[in-house]
Amino acid sequence: MSGALRLVLGDQLTLNLSALRDIDPAQDWVLMAEVAAETRYVPHHPKKIAFFLSAMRHFAEDLRARGIRVFYIALDDPNPCETLADAVARAQAALQPDRLILTAPGEWRLWEEVQSWQGRFGLPVDMRPDDQFLCSRTEFAAWAEGRKGLRMEYFYRDMRRRTGILLTADGKPEGAAWNFDAENRGALPAEVPAPPLFRVAPDAITHAVLALVEARFANHFGDLAGFDYAVTATDADAAFQHFCRHALPNFGTYQDAMRQDRTPEGGDVLFHARIALYLNIGLLDPKAVCDRAEAEYRAGRVPLNAAEGFIRQILGWREYVRGLYWRHMPAYAEVNFFGAERPLPGFYWSAATEMNCLRQVIDQTKRTAYAHHIQRLMITGNFALLIGARPAEVAEWYLAVYADAVEWVELPNVIGMALFADGGVMASKPYAASGAYIDKMSNYCERCRFDVAKKNGPKACPFNYLYWNFLIEHRDKLGRNPRLAMPYRTLDKLTDERRAAILDDSRCFFKTLEIQP
């Protein structure tokens, strides 16, 4: 063979991949491999494993249908591969290519591994930039250089200017404001029905993958039954079109809302798109989905707060967290601003807790490998913050249990947003909240054994006293934060008896979790 071997990773399933753009079908081969190490570096949710494997197999079939030769190594191959390097070595021995071409991996651990490949296989390695994003690593580094603070809002405004998305003819933001976050915090009334879910029935390829995952990963946290994700670009696009028709008009108002419905799946997705997993492996293009959301607004089919709120998630947050990840790795994975060392409670892996909000979100995660951003931030993340759970352990949980979790997006959201473990690199204050916020944005409290109106005592919502305990524990690090001036003034007005009750209730609660106070 005198052509190239082109490696395509499991989160690079797009024909526009830089490694594929100049492919010569007559000379080159594409290598794809389901390697054992990638299925177990954390205990991934079975639905997550099934999603990646099925999407990879479908993409390989798409390439073959286009006349491209694919050297595919399956997880259940008679001679499977442990690592990506093993897969490259096998393909190199079988095909004798003259060079290896790949797109830069999206995660630090794989990027670091690939650095050692130059010369390892007896052929040159051409690693090309990952341009599946709207802001390259180099462009983000240039934006960040010299700035005292790297706040997402200013990055987002620059991205709007660069792309022209939601700008007027004279370059001003539509609606005379850069974001409408204040209009994105509506609680969901009981009489407003959730839109229908978009589901894809498994085909023969997916059924084979499901059988494989059931056989090998049944001991992992999460249910495999009910797998309904899209695994092709065509079906992922259909899922997004469904969102635009049925959910986007109300997404802006209700994107922070949570609801426990009469049926378990009724409150799972609400007005969210559930497309992050498709974006994160290449089945959807981020610019295309932003353009479609803008077109829906300009056609008068969705309000501005909906289109802008959705676009901000893609053009703003998604690009921003990736930029932060690459700017601060690998040290970012080890930060622990509060010195938090308590273990993550076991109920994160079982949903066996009397706190209804946590039970609902963790059970939903177990069933679907999905929860929306407020459930992740203000329920499971908020609780982990308040109890002082170890950041690395919390990050591993999030990486394991969500189908859309790849490290470049998961780690900054956990370390920076949920836990403030980076000390303010991403957020200007911790996203800590008492039960009042949960009660405002959901109906979870209505069906909880604890009383959200009670501040202390055995029947009180644990979030209430844990919130104040958190502020007391970390006053040395947070007391001068101007965004926390009001809660600390309130704390200072509490009676000695109330403060003592907060500390005592927190100690008792930690003992129920078998955690040291």
Side-chain angles (χ1 to χ4, degrees), residues 426-440:
M426 177 182 285
S428 57
K429 71 175 184 67
Y431 278 82
S434 69
Y437 175 86
I438 299 168
D439 190 36
K440 175 186 175 184

Side-chain angles (χ1 to χ4, degrees), residues 187-262:
L188 185 59
E191 64 272 13
V192 176
L197 289 176
F198 181 86
R199 304 178 188 274
V200 178
D203 63 5
I205 292 175
T206 301
H207 274 300
V209 167
L210 293 174
L212 170 64
V213 173
E214 177 65 31
R216 298 207 180 185
F217 305 102
N219 62 328
H220 284 205
F221 169 87
D223 302 336
L224 190 59
F227 184 93
D228 60 1
Y229 291 134
V231 290
T232 66
T234 298
D235 283 342
D237 184 66
F240 178 61
Q241 304 304 330
H242 176 92
F243 164 72
C244 289
R245 287 193 303 273
H246 297 285
L248 182 56
N250 283 317
F251 171 78
T253 302
Y254 300 126
Q255 66 173 282
D256 287 3
M258 301 169 282
R259 182 162 75 186
Q260 180 179 352
D261 213 277
R262 290 183 297 275

